[in-house]
Amino acid sequence: MPELPEVETIKKRLESLVVGKTITQIEILHPKSFQGNVEQVIGQRIVALSRRAKLLQIILENGYSLLIHLKMTGQLIYEGATRVGGGHPTADWVKKLPSKHTRIIFYFSDKERLFFNDIRVFGWVRTLSPEEVKREFSKYGPDINDANLSASYLIEQFGRRSINIKQALMMNQIVAGVGNIYACDALNLAKIDPQKAAYQLTENEVVRLFEAAQTVINRGIEKGGATVENYVHVDGFAGQYQSVMLVYGKEGQACPNCGAKIIKMKVAGRGTYYCMSCQL
DNA sequence: CGGAGTGTTAGTCG
DNA sequence: CCGACTAACACTCC
């Protein structure tokens, strides 16, 4: 269930394995997971991998792209000389593949395979022309770790929203890549109450939140993403952001900032961990 | 066993 | 345009 750092990690891991290889076949086990035209992909060499927001882009020689969104439970598992996995951590990472959650299998000319697994089937793989990719990306605000993103943009965006700041921070149309884990941690690091209306943040608070969000996202990328839930221990599979997590999943534990007990509550329908004593 | 909860987001309706 | 609510779906946990 990846956010930006997890997708970035998958991108980096897969890059050295698939760039330069030719896709010889695609086996679609679950039609809903694949939206596009297989003809645009078969026989094409992969020239590059890219990431925008939480989307992974596989760029093909003919200019078309495979765009992949893992949503909550998607996984990409590459099986070559070794197995490399990323995405929602389950036993599928180490089980025999295909598993019952395998929706799509990509075959390469060297007989190696890439499995797209997805338990809840929210995720998808699409084939898109360069124009369609552009249109898709234009629906998103700048990535949270985009070097060109400025605090003034966020001050302007948050300033005209009456929704709570946590929800605003997770809106990909405003700024892309921040999901529930990193939103909780960023708000704790910036000492801001997740329930506060976005427009009520002072400029200083927006700057603080912006910097905090970049800090936790970059930390996530450095740690290879987070691996929580049904973590299956296999070398190289799991990111380690959870070892430096601030508040996510830590109900009842001490706030890393002030030591008070971390509270769990619902904010806009999502589980939210925060510290009532220092996040104001 | 029933119901809630899950690292996401699109669509609908007011 | 904005925001609240719901659905898409499978599985685990209490």
Side-chain angles (χ1 to χ4, degrees):
Chain A
M1 316 182 216
E3 301 183 32
L4 186 153
E6 288 72 31
V7 180
E8 180 68 22
T9 300
I10 294 170
K11 182 221 151 198
K12 284 184 191 159
R13 285 188 183 155
L14 285 182
E15 208 159 43
S16 58
L17 295 168
V18 302
V19 170
K21 293 190 180 172
T22 298
I23 300 171
T24 52
Q25 193 198 336
I26 299 179
E27 190 174 348
I28 298 165
L29 301 159
H30 194 86
K32 188 177 173 292
S33 302
F34 189 91
Q35 302 153 15
N37 184 354
V38 174
E39 303 300 311
Q40 296 167 348
V41 179
I42 299 297
Q44 291 300 314
R45 198 168 54 89
I46 295 173
V47 295
L49 257 56
S50 181
R51 180 203 53 75
R52 169 85 166 90
K54 301 171 190 173
L55 293 167
L56 180 69
Q57 182 186 13
I58 299 177
I59 304 166
L60 304 170
E61 203 169 13
N62 62 359
Y64 282 83
S65 287
L66 285 159
L67 211 56
I68 302 175
H69 201 312
L70 300 173
K71 292 288 183 94
M72 296 283 273
T73 55
Q75 311 169 314
L76 285 170
I77 307 173
Y78 189 83
E79 194 158 67
T82 56
R83 191 180 276 189
V84 173
H88 185 65
T90 69
D92 285 3
W93 278 6
V94 290
K95 279 193 337 199
K96 195 168 182 301
L97 292 171
S99 77
K100 76 168 163 181
H101 303 126
T102 301
R103 311 302 180 191
I104 302 166
I105 310 172
F106 298 89
Y107 293 85
F108 298 94
S109 44
D110 58 7
K111 305 297 178 203
E112 298 189 346
R113 298 177 293 178
L114 178 65
F115 295 86
F116 175 79
N117 283 9
D118 189 8
I119 299 171
R120 291 174 75 176
V121 206
F122 292 174
W124 42 256
V125 175
R126 292 178 188 159
T127 63
L128 301 178
S129 69
E131 297 73 37
E132 290 167 327
V133 169
K134 210 173 181 182
R135 199 181 319 142
E136 181 70 28
F137 287 170
S138 72
K139 293 194 272 185
Y140 293 84
D143 284 6
I144 183 67
N145 63 346
D146 187 327
N148 294 318
L149 175 59
S150 68
S152 58
Y153 166 80
L154 290 178
I155 289 167
E156 187 270 320
Q157 285 291 321
F158 291 157
R160 54 190 178 83
R161 303 280 178 163
S162 62
I163 51 170
N164 63 67
I165 186 60
K166 184 182 177 224
Q167 221 180 331
L169 183 60
M170 295 198 304
M171 279 183 67
N172 285 294
Q173 302 95 303
I174 298 178
V175 62
V178 186
N180 206 23
I181 291 183
Y182 295 96
C184 288
D185 274 12
L187 286 158
N188 176 261
L189 187 57
K191 299 189 192 120
I192 292 165
D193 183 346
Q195 304 162 97
K196 195 167 183 175
Y199 72 87
Q200 285 182 325
L201 268 68
T202 64
E203 293 197 359
N204 269 341
E205 285 175 326
V206 176
V207 171
R208 238 159 63 207
L209 181 57
F210 173 43
E211 288 170 356
Q214 290 200 319
T215 298
V216 296
I217 287 283
N218 287 331
R219 215 176 263 171
I221 293 171
E222 283 164 27
K223 294 285 177 185
T227 311
V228 295
E229 286 202 356
N230 320 304
Y231 166 46
V232 180
H233 188 75
V234 176
D235 288 352
F237 270 48
Q240 290 301 316
Y241 178 72
Q242 65 279 8
S243 69
V244 294
M245 244 177 221
L246 300 174
V247 291
Y248 185 83
K250 298 198 171 192
E251 183 179 17
Q253 297 182 43
C255 167
N257 174 52
C258 74
K261 264 195 181 163
I262 295 164
I263 304 297
K264 181 179 184 185
M265 65 177 308
K266 283 243 182 222
V267 174
R270 305 294 302 276
T272 301
Y273 299 84
Y274 89 114
C275 173
M276 283 173 67
S277 116
C278 70
Q279 291 180 245
L280 306 171

